[in-house]
Amino acid sequence: MPRHARHTAGLVGGIYLPRTADALAFAMSTYGIPLLVLATTRSATLTGAAFALEWIPRLAAFGWAGSVVDRRGASVVFHLASLGRALALAAGAVLLYLHPSGTVASVTVMALAASTGVLTEFSYIAAETAGAAAGRRAGARAHRVQAVLLGIDQTATLAGPALAGLLLLTGPPQMLAVITALSLLAALLALRTPPSPVAPARATKNQTDAGLLTGWRTIRSLPALGWLVTGLTLSNLATGLLQAAGPVIVVQHFGQSTTAVGLVWSAAAGATLLAVTICRFAIDRLGLWPVGAACAAFASLACLAAAQAPDYRSYLILVALLMAGEGGMTVVLRTLRSRLIPPEKFGSTLSVTILILLLPFPVAGVLTALTPPEALCHVITACAVLQALGLFCAFARLRTDPTLHA
């Protein structure tokens, strides 16, 4: 078999297939559990609280996750985290089958939001570390590997919310059983993931703090990465608010079903997948900065318009356009990460990067819980303005950075 064919086969079996199963399980649990809360309680406050609860434990796990991946290797952590998530989901499905409503059901769903979130972040950090290693092996074609990985994520996001919404109509245990099966498949496929570089054991009792400190120092030493992360963090506040408030806006404001909420994010994932494909070839011709700057402007305008959407159809289209712009910027970010971060520090630095990027999501959940439904559009508009300013400053600062023009 030719060398290129062997390399492609290795990417498919060791990187792309495990990532596909894990991403689909992640998308279904992330979007399915808040839908289950809203369908059960009909409460905007509890939906926002559930969204925050889903993200806060994930953030707490990042420093530890990156340190563990650096010390134990991506394939081992990927396998164990996916297996642990499968066991947690299976236990949740049994409890919800025995207690479909009441206090036990509510506690079970909230516990699943927290536990699956933590385990998913371990598998995600491991999968990203393995993907970055594959990108480094690809050399000048690293952005193509990252585009494929992002395409996998967006395809999962395209199918996951809609599938979770449909399965929820048949019952929570059925939905959780499918996610359990996908998690088990990811755990088995992770055994074929190539090993990643392993850092020497650190002579410290607190591996979490050491991992976070290492990652933070690495980001500070890479200005291009730091500016891009800053801009995307502000952008994620607007995106997170749209995601957290989505069930309230679609169900209570536009009068649609819970399935329609999943369709919004499935449409967004489809638009993002198309944008990622276009950006993959645009970066070949134009470079990272022009593509990233164009996507930033596109996302900012779409978010400002989505805050004032008059009906469900226009809201769906504008959210899809927003996420398409976000997808293009994510290709730029992932390419920079794989290019700039030293391999032996990748897990720790990736953890800190994602931790910073995801901090706005629990904030968005709290904002949704505290804001009256009729005032959500005003809060979204304010966050959209902040997003536009943050992205403008970031890409203006990066205009002359040689890293984005290499």
Side-chain angles (χ1 to χ4, degrees), residues 23-51:
L24 189 54
F26 169 64
M28 290 182 66
S29 60
T30 297
Y31 292 95
I33 290 177
L35 278 177
L36 180 57
V37 173
L38 181 64
T40 302
T41 65
R42 300 292 179 184
S43 169
T45 299
L46 289 179
T47 301
F51 188 85

Side-chain angles (χ1 to χ4, degrees), residues 13-14 38 63 94-95 104 139 167-168 183 270 284 290-291 309 314 365 375 405:
L38 181 64
V94 172
L95 286 173
V104 173
L167 288 171
L168 187 57
S183 298
D284 283 338
V291 174
S314 60
H405 296 275

Side-chain angles (χ1 to χ4, degrees), residues 7 30 54 83 85 88 95 138 142 209 217 229 241 355 374 393:
H7 178 67
T30 297
E54 192 173 19
L83 184 61
R85 183 179 58 205
L95 286 173
D209 290 346
R217 286 174 174 170
V229 167
L241 188 58
L355 175 62
E374 63 273 11
C393 292

Side-chain angles (χ1 to χ4, degrees), residues 160-172:
L163 182 57
L166 290 174
L167 288 171
L168 187 57
L169 297 177
T170 67

Side-chain angles (χ1 to χ4, degrees), residues 22-231:
D22 184 70
L24 189 54
F26 169 64
M28 290 182 66
S29 60
T30 297
Y31 292 95
I33 290 177
L35 278 177
L36 180 57
V37 173
L38 181 64
T40 302
T41 65
R42 300 292 179 184
S43 169
T45 299
L46 289 179
T47 301
F51 188 85
L53 179 62
E54 192 173 19
W55 283 101
I56 289 173
R58 296 182 185 187
L59 300 181
F62 269 112
W64 189 24
S67 179
V68 170
V69 170
D70 280 346
R71 289 183 291 116
R72 304 299 181 188
S75 59
V76 173
V77 176
F78 195 179
H79 170 73
L80 293 177
S82 298
L83 184 61
R85 183 179 58 205
L87 294 175
L89 288 165
V94 172
L95 286 173
L96 288 177
Y97 178 78
L98 297 175
H99 304 278
S101 61
T103 303
V104 173
S106 299
V107 172
T108 297
V109 171
M110 301 300 272
L112 280 175
S115 60
T116 58
V118 170
L119 291 167
T120 294
E121 293 314 321
F122 273 85
S123 66
Y124 178 76
I125 294 293
E128 280 286 277
T129 301
R136 285 191 293 272
R137 290 192 292 269
R141 300 168 66 90
H143 67 278
R144 291 181 173 241
V145 175
Q146 297 304 320
V148 172
L149 291 174
L150 183 56
I152 289 171
D153 289 346
Q154 294 306 317
T155 301
T157 305
L158 174 65
L163 182 57
L166 290 174
L167 288 171
L168 187 57
L169 297 177
T170 67
Q174 288 83 345
M175 182 185 75
L176 295 178
V178 172
I179 306 176
T180 298
L182 288 169
S183 298
L184 283 174
L185 179 61
L188 293 174
L189 292 172
L191 296 174
R192 303 175 60 186
T193 299
S196 60
V198 177
R202 299 184 180 95
T204 177
K205 295 181 180 180
N206 196 329
Q207 297 292 342
T208 300
D209 290 346
L212 290 174
L213 184 59
T214 298
W216 176 247
R217 286 174 174 170
T218 304
I219 291 175
R220 290 186 60 185
S221 69
L222 303 171
L225 182 61
W227 276 102
L228 187 56
V229 167
T230 300

